[in-house]
Amino acid sequence: MKPFIAFAALALMAAPALAAPEKFDIDPSHSQIVFSYDHLGFSTTWGMFSGFSGDIQFDADAPAESSVTVSMPVKSMLTGWEARFQHFMSESFFDASDDEMVSFASTSIEVTGDNTALITGDLTLNGVTKPVVLDAVMNQMANHPMANKPWAGFSATTTLKRTDFNLGEFAPFVSDEVAVMISIEAGKAE
């Protein structure tokens, strides 16, 4: 059974009346955002955000009417090297305060296949808000065997330009384009 259809059937079995959007809370222990960029043509450098919060409002009857919101502190970035992290947090890049957040809020969803969609939303990064499009795949919707409740898994990719968010130090020598890969699990809210 196709994932969107399977989830719709699951949701209808659990709902006594017409289905309304159902809230799924992002599981911070199994959700990551990984980014990479070219460093002077010599290597690909990687970083990650993990432990973030957010939710998905999933409408089984009309998946295009669903939505997603996510936020995380800039300082939750993991680089694997403390000196690089400190450089990213410096005035050359984020000049980040302890409470500065990165956030994404979807504005539209275009269902493109049985388990794919383009999710357009507003990304706020470094005090700049720009629209971005996530190329998303629903990996699975099923009952979680340990949590014993509906669970969802999604993957998505996009490419950002650092200069769009006033983070263009050393561009174009250090790539302006940053590849972003997202993997998210979310469980039905209680």
Side-chain angles (χ1 to χ4, degrees), residues 83-105:
R84 181 178 300 118
F85 172 79
Q86 293 302 330
H87 189 206
F88 284 169
M89 296 303 120
S90 75
E91 291 178 6
S92 296
F93 289 97
F94 287 97
D95 194 20
S97 61
D98 287 340
D99 61 351
E100 187 170 339
M101 301 294 282
V102 177
S103 64
F104 175 83

Side-chain angles (χ1 to χ4, degrees), residues 55-134:
D55 66 73
I56 298 165
Q57 296 287 335
F58 188 79
D59 188 327
D61 290 334
E65 299 300 315
S66 302
S67 65
V68 59
T69 59
V70 177
S71 64
M72 69 211 78
V74 172
K75 288 193 172 183
S76 68
M77 180 189 299
L78 304 169
T79 67
W81 190 46
E82 184 62 24
R84 181 178 300 118
F85 172 79
Q86 293 302 330
H87 189 206
F88 284 169
M89 296 303 120
S90 75
E91 291 178 6
S92 296
F93 289 97
F94 287 97
D95 194 20
S97 61
D98 287 340
D99 61 351
E100 187 170 339
M101 301 294 282
V102 177
S103 64
F104 175 83
S106 65
T107 55
S108 68
I109 296 177
E110 177 189 350
V111 176
T112 57
D114 292 332
N115 65 339
T116 59
L118 296 175
I119 302 172
T120 301
D122 291 329
L123 175 66
T124 300
L125 176 65
N126 200 37
V128 177
T129 301
K130 296 268 187 184
V132 299
V133 178
L134 305 178

Side-chain angles (χ1 to χ4, degrees), residues 12-57:
L12 290 173
M13 285 187 286
L18 286 176
E22 294 185 288
K23 182 180 178 183
F24 284 71
D25 292 323
I26 290 177
D27 174 4
S29 67
H30 294 101
S31 300
Q32 304 84 32
I33 298 172
V34 177
F35 62 90
S36 65
Y37 57 91
D38 178 80
H39 184 254
L40 304 169
F42 294 112
S43 67
T44 300
T45 303
W46 301 86
M48 181 173 86
F49 289 93
S50 188
F52 48 87
S53 63
D55 66 73
I56 298 165
Q57 296 287 335

Side-chain angles (χ1 to χ4, degrees), residues 104 110-113 115-121 132-139 154-159 180-183:
F104 175 83
E110 177 189 350
V111 176
T112 57
N115 65 339
T116 59
L118 296 175
I119 302 172
T120 301
V132 299
V133 178
L134 305 178
D135 191 356
V137 176
M138 181 187 302
N139 301 322
F154 298 91
S155 299
T157 58
T158 194
T159 301
V180 179
M181 297 174 290
I182 302 164
S183 183

